Structure formats: structure tokens, C-alpha cells
């Protein structure tokens, strides 16, 4: 006998909805979060989470308490995935962009037997800029499989916890334990300087024989041909004319991607990349200076991240460079045109933005000698990542830029590249390529769209003004700091059990492989139009 559903009490969870329904809900949530100006949050996330349960009471979502990575590794041992066994289909693959996504993709392809892999990078050399980035278990698991373990052990740091602190006095209000990630998810949580990660990826790629060409700015992506931008520029005298032909061109060319224009064609949306009304400063402080001050020295001994949260602002901090440098990311409201920003006045401006915050923060700000400010932008889910002829695809920030509030941007690029290499390694015929790319897109589009949503949700949860909502949030996080760690239900998404398992317990190679096998190994009955 069928039972009648009470829509208010028995709301379908993400597990009960189809993928298309979940993606549609995710898109609605992203639109609502971007449109909301009064500090409210959405009623329910599209991804598994109890982070909003303190706002909207309801049944607790729980994921199976199993260590999936162990089961997956056992199955991989029976039928190797990503083990370097050459595939039966030979493809020439050109990757545009030598960033985290592009280099990860190149390494993953090489390890699966794709020998003809070329990386084109617009910069004249391999020099990098930037500051610290975080590598959660879902990404460090993949990088370790790619042979990056020795490099990461040299350049990366393993924090034990993330400590959420009140903006005005540093009071501990939330805690995420990270020292059990290896046992829980099969990989460590790492932090590293961006330069260290890029150099490690470059070293590994060259070790495997990946051909990397610098000073190659691609201006056109047509039918598997990447062409010199000088040739494409109107009124150009031609410059150095070159072109590279391939079976597949992978656009890993970042936020302002040229490949994205080729993929979307007439579907190019001007509102794909949206301002959020926020900007961030990045700064790195020498820990030797901090150790000389008794009120700052404890931060050099704090083995983890410290995150101060307040009204419309937050500051994330952690050690990098083997404890020699202290990384700071300072998010604040900003609606001004980036072209009007002056790096010369940024230090004064950052001190003004965080005036009145914790005295410890005030002292840290006096030690900053140089900072860079950049606008915080986010993308909205695209209709497709594939060109109509399946000759060009996009991944990483070219496909899904997101706010840094879940520390997931780099991790999503790593997942994209490894998942792509995994599904391509399953081909037995070149005619299967379109089907494989569709399966990859379906899996990755939903995963990254939900991470865009989760990042926006964190921005709402962190930025409450002092008042009833802020106090209710802090009370709901109180269990995080208890000895037993609470009940695994928290507004702190990194401590909330359901969110944590969804973020860190995800294995991109496994998921895309499973999706491919469900379609009978050839794309089968996959409905491509469902994602439009």
C-alpha cells in the first residue's frame, strides 16, 4: 500500500532525487545565495549536509559509516585503475595551461599509457606567484596515486585542525579535527605554497616525459586545432605562426578561458563569472618575526589553521614552507573596480578593513610588508563543458570558478584531470570518445556545481553580524570543541559529518569509472540533453 508523502516533514534528500533534479536544485540554490543581500541562508542544500539544521529543524542526514577508500582500493587491485597500464586507444591530447588542472591532467594521462601528451603554457617560463593553498584528502589521495607523494612530503605541511575563532577576541567557537583524515579517508589533509605544488607537478610531469612548451598563447580552438593567438588577432602582422593538431584539446586555461568561448559558441553567457561583492588580500609573514613577539609566538606552534570570522569578513591563516612562513587570506566587502586598486595603499587599506578585530590580528597586520588584493568571483553551472564536435573540452577554473570558502578550487581541478584520464583509459575504440566525455562531464558538472554552492553557503555561515543568528550558529557549533567532538552535526561544514564525508570521501577516479560501467562501457542510454 502506497503511503502519502508529507512534503513538509519528509523532504527528499539528495540521495532520493535524480541527478537532474539535484543539479536543478543546486542551480536554484546558487542563484538564491548570489541574490541574497540580507545575510539569510537557503533552507536546504542540494548536497548531503546538516550544516543548516540549526536554522531548519529536520531529520539528520547520515552517510554510511564505511571507509569507502578501502573497498575501492580492493576492487582496484582486482581490476587496476590508474595503474599505468596502456590503453588500447591511442590519442594525441593537447592541454592548454600548465596550472594545477593542466599538469595534473597531463600526469594522469601519461600514467595511463597516453604517450602523446603536450602541454602549452602562455607564460614564457615556469615561474609562479601566489601564496598558500589547501589540499584536502580527496585531492591528496589522487596526487599520491600520481606519484607526487615524495614531492608533497618535502613541500607540504599536515595540519591537525581548523580552529574557528570569534572576530573580536579570538575566542574558540568551532573546531575541525584533521589528524584523523588518513585513517578516515585514506589520505592526509595538506597545506602548501602554490609555487611548491606547481613545481612538484612540473617535476613529476617532466619525469614522466610530458612535453611542456612555454610562451605558447593559444587564441583559437577549432576542430582539435590549437592556434597561435597572434594569428587570430585582428590586424595582426602574423607573429610567430604555429598550430598544434590533436584528437582532443583540453582547455585548462583558467578563469578568463579562451577555450570556454570555443566550447560554448553561441551559448557564451556574459553572466557566467559573477562578482560576489567581496575581495581578498593575500599576505605571507615571516615566522621569525612572529616568534619574537610572545603574543604571536603561539601561532607558530599552532599545528593547524586558525579562522577568525565576523560580519562580512574573515581571516584564514596557516603555516607553509615547513613553518618558515605564515599565510594569511583576508576576505572583506568590496564593490570597487579592480582597475582602480593600488597595491601601494593596500597595506593601509587592509588594516582599516580589520580595525577593531582581535588584538592578535592587529599585531599580525603590522608585520605585513606586501599584499596582493584580488576580487572574489564565482561561476554558475555551465550548460556544457564539451564542444559540439567533442574536440575541445574545459576543466578547472575554465569550467567552474568558485569562492575559496571551501578551500576546494585546486582540489576540483585535480579531480577533473584524474577523472578525465580514468574514463579515457577505459576506451576500447576511438568511436567511444564522445560517450566517455559525456559521462565525465555529467559526473564532474554536478560535483563542481555543488562545491560552488557549498562555498557560497560557507560565506553565509561565517559572515553573520553579531546578533541572534550569530549566537545561534555559535551555540550549534559548541559540540565541535567538546572532548568527544559533538554529534557530527554542525554549521561548521568541515566538522559536519555528512558534508565532510561528501567532500573528503569522494574518489573522482572511482566515481567516473563506476558511471562508465553503469552505462555499459559505451555511454549507453546516457541522456545528454538532461543537463542543458
Amino acid at each position: 500500500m502506497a503511503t502519502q508523502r508529507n512534503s513538509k516533514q519528509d523532504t527528499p534528500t539528495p540521495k532520493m532525487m535524480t541527478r537532474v533534479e539535484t543539479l536543478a536544485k543546486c542551480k536554484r540554490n546558487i542563484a538564491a545565495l548570489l541574490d541574497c543581500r540580507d545575510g539569510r541562508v537557503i533552507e536546504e542544500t542540494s548536497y548531503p549536509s546538516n550544516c543548516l539544521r540549526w536554522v531548519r529543524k529536520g531529520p539528520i542526514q547520515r552517510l554510511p559509516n564505511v571507509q569507502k577508500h578501502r573497498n575501492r582500493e580492493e576492487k582496484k587491485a582486482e581490476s587496476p585503475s590508474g595503474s599505468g597500464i596502456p590503453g588500447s586507444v591511442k590519442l594525441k591530447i593537447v592541454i592548454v595551461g600548465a596550472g594545477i588542472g593542466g599538469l595534473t591532467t597531463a600526469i594522469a594521462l601519461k600514467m595511463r599509457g597516453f604517450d602523446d601528451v603536450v602541454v602549452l603554457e602562455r607564460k614564457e617560463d615556469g615561474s609562479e606567484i601566489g601564496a598558500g593553498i589547501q589540499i584536502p584528502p580527496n585531492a591528496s589521495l589522487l596526487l599520491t596515486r600520481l606519484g607526487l607523494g615524495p614531492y608533497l612530503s618535502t613541500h607540504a605541511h599536515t595540519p591537525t585542525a581548523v580552529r574557528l575563532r570569534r572576530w573580536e577576541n579570538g575566542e574558540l567557537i568551532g573546531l575541525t579535527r584533521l589528524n584523523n583524515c588518513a585513517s578516515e579517508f585514506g589520505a592526509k589533509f595538506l597545506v602548501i605554497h602554490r609555487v611548491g605544488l606547481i613545481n612538484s607537478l612540473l617535476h613529476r610531469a617532466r619525469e614522466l616525459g610530458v612535453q611542456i612548451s612555454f610562451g605558447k598563447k593559444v587564441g583559437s580552438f577549432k576542430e582539435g586545432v590549437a592556434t597561435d593567438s597572434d594569428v587570430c588577432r585582428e590586424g595582426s602582422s602574423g607573429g610567430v605562426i604555429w598550430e598544434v593538431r590533436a584528437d582532443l584539446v583540453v582547455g585548462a586555461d583558467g578563469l578568463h578561458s579562451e577555450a570556454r568561448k570555443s566550447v560554448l559558441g553561441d551559448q557564451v553567457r556574459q553572466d557566467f563569472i559573477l562578482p560576489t561583492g567581496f575581495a581578498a588580500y593575500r599576505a605571507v609573514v615571516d615566522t621569525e618575526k612572529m616568534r619574537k613577539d610572545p603574543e604571536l609566538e603561539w601561532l607558530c606552534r599552532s599545528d593547524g589553521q586558525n579562522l577568525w570570522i565576523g560580519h562580512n569578513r574573515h581571516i584564514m591563516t596557516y603555516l607553509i614552507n615547513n613553518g618558515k612562513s605564515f599565510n594569511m587570506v583576508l576576505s572583506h566587502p568590496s564593490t570597487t573596480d579592480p582597475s582602480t586598486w593600488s597595491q601601494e595603499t593596500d597595506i593601509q587599506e587592509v588594516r582599516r578593513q580589520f580595525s577593531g578585530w582581535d588584538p592578535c590580528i592587529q599585531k599580525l597586520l603590522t608585520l605585513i610588508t606586501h599584499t596582493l588584493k584580488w576580487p572574489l568571483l564565482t561561476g554558475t553551472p555551465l550548460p556544457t563543458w564539451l564542444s559540439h564536435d567533442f574536440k575541445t573540452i574545459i576543466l578547472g577554473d575554465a569550467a567552474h570558478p568558485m569562492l575559496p570558502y571551501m578551500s576546494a578550487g585546486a582540489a576540483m581541478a585535480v579531480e577533473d584531470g584524474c577523472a578525465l584520464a580514468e574514463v579515457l583509459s577505459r576506451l576500447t575504440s576511438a568511436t567511444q570518445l564522445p560517450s566517455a566525455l559525456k559521462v565525465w562531464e555529467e559526473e564532474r558538472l554536478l560535483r563542481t556545481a555543488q562545491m560552488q554552492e557549498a562555498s557560497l553557503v560557507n560565506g553565509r555561515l561565517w559572515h553573520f553580524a553579531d546578533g541572534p543568528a550569530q549566537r545561534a550558529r555559535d551555540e550549534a557549533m559548541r559540540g565541535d570543541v567538546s572532548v568527544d567532538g559533538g554529534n557530527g552535526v554542525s554549521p561548521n561544514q568541515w566538522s559536519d559529518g555528512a558534508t565532510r564525508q561528501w567532500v573528503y570521501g569522494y574518489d573522482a577516479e572511482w566515481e567516473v569509472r563506476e558511471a562508465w560501467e553503469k552505462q555499459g562501457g559505451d555511454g549507453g542510454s546516457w541522456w545528454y540533453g538532461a543537463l542543458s
Side-chain angles (χ1 to χ4, degrees):
M1 179 178 178
T3 58
Q4 185 174 2
R5 180 182 299 277
N6 183 325
S7 60
K8 292 185 178 180
Q9 297 179 0
D10 191 14
T11 301
T13 67
K15 285 287 185 179
M16 297 165 61
M17 294 190 294
T18 67
R19 181 180 293 269
V20 174
E21 290 170 336
T22 302
L23 181 60
K25 181 176 182 178
C26 175
K27 290 179 177 180
R28 290 194 300 271
N29 283 350
I30 289 174
L33 288 161
L34 287 170
D35 184 58
C36 182
R37 304 299 178 191
D38 58 6
R40 291 179 300 169
V41 293
I42 57 178
E43 291 188 359
E44 185 181 52
T45 61
S46 73
Y47 54 90
S49 181
N50 294 302
C51 69
L52 302 180
R53 190 169 180 269
W54 62 282
V55 178
R56 175 185 174 276
K57 300 297 182 181
I60 296 176
Q61 294 186 36
R62 298 195 184 279
L63 296 183
N65 186 23
V66 295
Q67 297 188 18
K68 290 186 176 181
H69 68 273
R70 291 183 177 174
N71 298 333
R72 289 166 174 167
E73 290 303 324
E74 290 173 1
K75 192 168 183 180
K76 284 174 184 289
E78 298 171 7
S79 179
S81 165
S83 59
I85 297 177
S88 59
V89 177
K90 302 300 180 183
L91 299 172
K92 177 167 184 177
I93 302 174
V94 170
I95 300 168
V96 179
I100 294 171
L103 291 173
T104 297
T105 304
I107 294 168
L109 288 166
K110 268 287 189 178
M111 290 189 68
R112 285 163 174 78
F114 292 96
D115 294 326
D116 201 352
V117 178
V118 176
V119 178
L120 306 178
E121 169 55 46
R122 63 185 299 172
K123 294 194 302 293
E124 294 295 335
D125 55 38
S127 61
E128 277 293 323
I129 60 173
I133 58 174
Q134 302 182 52
I135 308 176
N138 49 302
S140 66
L141 176 75
L142 300 174
L143 293 174
T144 301
R145 287 179 186 162
L146 296 182
L148 270 290
Y151 311 113
L152 294 176
S153 64
T154 301
H155 297 287
H157 177 70
T158 306
T160 59
V162 181
R163 297 171 179 86
L164 277 67
R165 301 186 178 277
R166 180 167 170 76
W167 68 276
E168 63 181 347
N169 57 16
E171 175 191 354
L172 187 65
I173 57 176
L175 176 67
T176 298
R177 292 166 175 84
L178 299 175
N179 51 2
N180 60 349
C181 284
S183 59
E184 189 176 356
F185 304 113
K188 295 179 179 180
F189 192 112
L190 304 172
V191 294
I192 191 172
H193 197 289
R194 177 181 171 81
V195 173
L197 178 57
I198 291 291
N199 287 342
S200 298
L201 289 166
L202 279 169
H203 186 104
R204 180 59 174 153
R206 287 167 173 155
E207 186 177 66
L208 293 169
V210 175
Q211 180 184 337
I212 305 173
S213 297
F214 292 98
K216 298 290 188 181
K217 185 178 180 181
V218 179
S220 174
F221 301 76
K222 292 181 179 179
E223 299 178 352
V225 181
T227 307
D228 180 4
S229 62
D230 284 343
V231 178
C232 306
R233 190 178 301 121
E234 185 176 353
S236 168
S237 59
V240 179
I241 299 176
W242 56 266
E243 64 179 23
V244 180
R245 296 182 177 275
D247 297 300
L248 180 66
V249 178
V250 179
D253 51 344
L255 185 68
H256 304 291
S257 169
E258 290 293 331
R260 185 170 61 241
K261 298 175 184 177
S262 175
V263 165
L264 293 179
D266 293 338
Q267 300 181 75
V268 172
R269 291 161 41 189
Q270 298 302 318
D271 62 345
F272 163 64
I273 300 174
L274 299 173
T276 60
F278 290 88
Y281 295 100
R282 282 190 180 273
V284 177
V285 175
D286 187 344
T287 53
E288 283 302 313
K289 296 180 180 179
M290 296 170 59
R291 289 189 175 96
K292 295 176 182 178
D293 189 327
E295 295 185 22
L296 297 180
E297 189 270 340
W298 68 274
L299 284 169
C300 300
R301 293 183 284 105
S302 179
D303 194 13
Q305 292 111 302
N306 286 280
L307 172 65
W308 281 259
I309 57 177
H311 184 212
N312 281 340
R313 290 168 176 80
H314 71 266
I315 302 174
M316 172 66 85
T317 70
Y318 50 88
L319 295 168
I320 55 175
N321 291 336
N322 293 320
K324 297 178 182 178
S325 303
F326 190 71
N327 186 71
M328 302 179 68
V329 180
L330 307 100
S331 175
H332 62 283
S334 177
T335 57
T336 58
D337 184 346
S339 66
T340 66
W341 296 350
S342 169
Q343 302 301 335
E344 289 74 22
T345 60
D346 273 352
I347 294 178
Q348 290 73 31
E349 173 65 14
V350 72
R351 291 171 183 167
R352 186 189 67 80
Q353 285 284 352
F354 293 92
S355 175
W357 278 48
D358 185 355
C360 178
I361 292 295
Q362 300 304 312
K363 283 202 166 189
L364 277 171
L365 296 181
T366 66
L367 297 181
I368 295 176
T369 59
H370 178 71
T371 184
L372 291 175
K373 179 179 177 179
W374 87 105
L376 293 180
L377 308 173
T378 189
T380 55
L382 288 171
T384 183
W385 296 3
L386 316 175
S387 64
H388 71 280
D389 58 3
F390 301 100
K391 291 287 189 178
T392 303
I393 67 172
I394 52 176
L395 54 75
D397 280 351
H400 49 73
M402 61 188 67
L403 289 172
Y405 299 164
M406 279 296 288
S407 304
M412 292 302 100
V414 169
E415 287 186 1
D416 289 346
C418 290
L420 177 64
E422 173 67 18
V423 76
L424 294 184
S425 72
R426 299 287 154 186
L427 300 179
T428 57
S429 167
T431 60
Q432 295 175 313
L433 180 60
S435 294
L437 294 177
K438 289 176 184 178
V439 169
W440 170 78
E441 179 196 50
E442 179 190 39
E443 182 63 35
R444 297 306 306 154
L445 200 154
L446 178 59
R447 166 72 168 172
T448 55
Q450 289 184 309
M451 200 62 72
Q452 288 173 324
E453 177 190 346
S455 299
L456 287 163
V457 168
N458 254 0
R460 293 296 178 197
L461 292 173
W462 292 349
H463 291 165
F464 287 124
D466 288 353
Q470 170 261 313
R471 290 193 293 273
R473 178 205 63 195
D474 292 356
E475 178 62 29
M477 286 197 298
R478 192 176 299 279
D480 294 359
V481 300
S482 63
V483 174
D484 62 4
N487 63 356
V489 176
S490 176
N492 175 7
Q493 294 199 88
W494 294 320
S495 289
D496 179 72
T499 319
R500 183 180 171 95
Q501 179 65 45
W502 168 69
V503 176
Y504 299 152
Y506 182 92
D507 185 330
E509 292 177 347
W510 175 271
E511 296 294 346
V512 77
R513 175 190 175 192
E514 192 173 56
W516 175 252
E517 291 177 349
K518 282 182 179 178
Q519 304 303 332
D522 63 358
S525 60
W526 193 91
W527 180 30
Y528 185 53
L531 289 179
S532 301

